[in-house]
Structures are given as C-alpha cells and as structure tokens.
Amino acid sequence: MITTVTLNASIDKAYFMDSRIENGTVMRVASCRNTAGGKGLNVARIIKLCGENVQAAGLAGGFNGAYLESMLERDGISRQFVHIQGETRSCINILDEGYGSTEYLEPGCPVTKEEEEAFLKRFPEIIKDSEVVTISGSVPQGVSKDIYEKMIRCTKEAGRKVILDTSGELLKNGLKACPDMVKPNKDEIEALFGIQVNGFEDVVSYAGKIYGMGIPYVVISLGKDGALLVCSEGIFQGRPPEVKAVNTVGCGDSMVGAFAVALERNYGPQEALKFAVATATAAALSPGTGSFEESVQQELAGRIQIETIESKVRI
C-alpha cells in the first residue's frame, strides 16, 4: 500500500479553449474536465495506473469535498479524509494553443487548530498499512508550517518511507525531519538557499547540498530535459526523447508517483529514475492530469537515456 497526502485538495477544472484568451471579454469554453485535484491526488492516480494499491488522505469539506470524494470513488481510489467545516477549494487550468497552460489556484479555506490536531491524531492510523507515504503540495490557511515535519517524523518512526514534494517554509521545515526523498525544482532551490541558480552546474551543486542534509534521494525536475537524481551511488540524469507535450500540468506529480512505486518495489536508483522519467513523459502526452497510457510509458522507457554526471556527490 502507498498513501498519498493532500492537505489542500481541490476540484480541478480544465478548460479547453479553441481560441486564444482575450482578457476583458466573454470567452466560450470548448470543453471542460473536472477531476479530484491537488498534487497528492494526481500522485494517487499515477500509482494506481502503475498497478499498485493506493489510498488518498487529507482534508476535505463542504459540497466540493463530497464531490471530490465521489470522483475518487469513481476512479477506484480508496480514501481516508478528515472532514473540515470549510469548503474544499476549486482550481482552474485554461489550456489553449496560443498560450499553453494558465492556472488560477484558490488558496483553500481556513482550517482551525482543532481540525489540524484531529488530522495529526489520526495520521498514524491512516498510514499503518503503507510501505511508502507521499506528502505533496501546499496547505490551507491556518495550518502550521511545520505540519509536514511532524508527519515525516511520525512516518519514519513507523518504519515507513516518505517522499516530500512542497516548497517554501513547508519544505525548509520538512527537510529537518530527513524524508527519504524530496523533489524540488529550480525556483524552490532558489527560495530554499536564497540564491539564484545559473545553469546546470548550480542545480547539481545545490542538489548535492540538499543530499548533504541527510536526504537519501534528491530529485530535481528538469522539464523537457528529464530529471536529476542525487543519491549515495552518484548523480544521474534521466533524459527523455523529444516529444510534443499535450498537457504538462501534473507531470511532476507523475514523477513523484512513479518514484513512490519504485521505492515500494525496491528498484535501484538508475532503474527508478528511468521508470519515473518515462512515466512523467507519458503523462505529458496525455490530455488528462495524473494519467498516462501504459503502452506509451513502456515504449518511452526503452528510449530514456541515463547519464552519470558524477560518480560521487560533492556536499
């Protein structure tokens, strides 16, 4: 079992446009797709598509929360949500050929201290049957910035592996608890260290610094250039073939889901990287968020190039 945690879940609305967006006018949406959203729920769908047992956990409330849980049931994903008084948020992604993807993300309704404490109290029971736990995304208003640190410590005390994918203070505090894997991007590295990343060598250097904090696997998303993996065996880059992406929203979540599966299956670092890059690339070729075609993933896996950047990590 793998458990994915999404504290700031949402109803994700994808608006597909057949004309360019013009601000200040009435725009007609060609088609619309609603999904149970939030980074961890994208991760959950990927894990299920990879053939592993998964459950989704987090916070949900109001009519939107009930709708979100009904969509998860439709997708065949079991769930353990703590219910809150506020309304689960909505997020909109506008996709048109002129500008690509434009996202409007609501902040999420305020969560009370009592609701936060209720989730933390229930958390050990939620993860008790899981080998791997993923913690993804932002938190709603009112939630403590060290909540992920507490959850990581709880997960590790239970002898489970844990992946953290977040940003800002949540990432900074979460690193103190030494999750098994983190997946920051360039912007998150810059915010974490208060620097400006100038080129690939800087990415490698600062990924090494994060590894030096006691993080066994550090993965850096590189967009069309794949991903970088820093671990005890060295530094590796997984390069996908050139493809024409259809929908890049959630591709990072697809990578997290694939790495969670790889950790559960005890893949070696290079095998895990190839599997994750192939899955994320296949997801970029799917119009749905948090989805991919298995045949496409398998075909891509044979075309992923793994390059050794360094055989030893410089901390």
Side-chain angles (χ1 to χ4, degrees):
M1 172 76 77
I2 300 173
T3 294
T4 70
V5 179
T6 314
L7 293 185
N8 209 6
S10 69
I11 303 298
D12 280 2
K13 294 178 173 290
Y15 289 172
F16 295 89
M17 313 295 292
D18 54 13
S19 60
R20 288 192 175 187
I21 300 170
E22 296 182 21
N23 292 327
T25 65
V26 174
M27 301 297 300
R28 302 292 181 183
V29 177
S31 63
C32 176
R33 178 184 290 115
N34 291 345
T35 55
K39 293 175 71 62
L41 299 183
N42 296 335
V43 173
R45 281 189 289 271
I46 290 296
I47 293 168
K48 182 174 176 59
L49 285 172
C50 288
E52 299 298 330
N53 291 329
V54 63
Q55 69 172 356
L59 302 173
F63 292 104
N64 272 354
Y67 180 37
L68 181 138
E69 291 196 66
S70 72
M71 285 193 284
L72 288 174
E73 182 175 0
R74 178 199 65 192
D75 293 338
I77 296 174
S78 63
R79 59 208 179 276
Q80 292 201 55
F81 279 86
V82 171
H83 295 130
I84 58 176
Q85 291 297 311
E87 188 80 21
T88 291
R89 66 179 179 152
S90 294
C91 293
I92 296 172
N93 178 26
I94 301 175
L95 298 138
D96 75 277
E97 293 183 1
Y99 293 97
S101 172
T102 303
E103 295 184 85
Y104 296 88
L105 309 180
E106 293 183 9
C109 66
V111 171
T112 67
K113 183 59 63 178
E114 291 75 19
E115 289 168 337
E116 178 182 332
E117 290 174 353
F119 178 83
L120 289 173
K121 184 177 180 180
R122 188 173 159 189
F123 186 62
E125 177 68 19
I126 290 173
I127 66 170
K128 67 183 179 68
D129 295 325
S130 296
E131 293 184 45
V132 181
V133 176
T134 71
I135 302 172
S136 303
S138 62
V139 297
Q141 301 171 62
V143 173
S144 303
K145 296 300 183 182
D146 65 349
I147 189 169
Y148 287 168
E149 179 185 358
K150 294 175 182 175
M151 292 165 61
I152 293 166
R153 294 191 190 281
C154 177
T155 305
K156 296 187 71 173
E157 286 170 4
R160 276 50 173 170
K161 298 173 183 176
V162 57
I163 297 174
L164 177 65
D165 182 19
T166 188
S167 59
E169 288 297 307
L170 292 163
L171 174 60
K172 184 176 181 180
N173 291 329
L175 288 170
K176 298 174 186 176
C178 295
D180 294 274
M181 182 186 129
V182 295
K183 193 197 70 63
N185 58 28
K186 172 180 171 291
D187 292 341
E188 289 157 0
I189 290 174
E190 290 180 335
L192 181 64
F193 291 99
I195 50 87
Q196 183 174 346
V197 172
N198 296 306
F200 183 71
E201 289 187 4
D202 280 356
V203 173
V204 173
S205 175
Y206 283 99
K209 292 182 187 299
I210 297 173
Y211 172 80
M213 297 176 184
I215 314 300
Y217 296 96
V218 179
V219 176
I220 312 295
S221 299
L222 300 174
K224 63 181 178 62
D225 294 320
L228 189 77
L229 170 62
V230 180
C231 62
S232 61
E233 294 188 16
I235 302 176
F236 307 97
Q237 183 177 358
R239 293 180 177 272
E242 186 174 341
V243 299
K244 186 176 181 179
V246 175
N247 179 16
T248 59
V249 177
C251 287
D253 304 327
S254 301
M255 189 169 290
V256 169
F259 267 110
V261 170
L263 286 178
E264 186 185 46
R265 295 176 179 172
N266 294 313
Y267 285 176
Q270 295 188 52
E271 184 182 11
L273 181 60
K274 178 177 287 190
F275 180 71
V277 172
T279 302
T281 306
L285 295 174
S286 172
T289 300
S291 70
F292 65 87
E293 293 291 335
E294 185 178 5
S295 60
V296 175
Q297 178 209 40
Q298 292 176 348
E299 189 272 334
L300 286 167
R303 299 167 63 195
I304 302 298
Q305 297 180 351
I306 303 297
E307 177 183 352
T308 301
I309 305 300
E310 294 183 14
S311 58
K312 185 176 180 180
V313 182
R314 294 174 293 171
I315 300 173

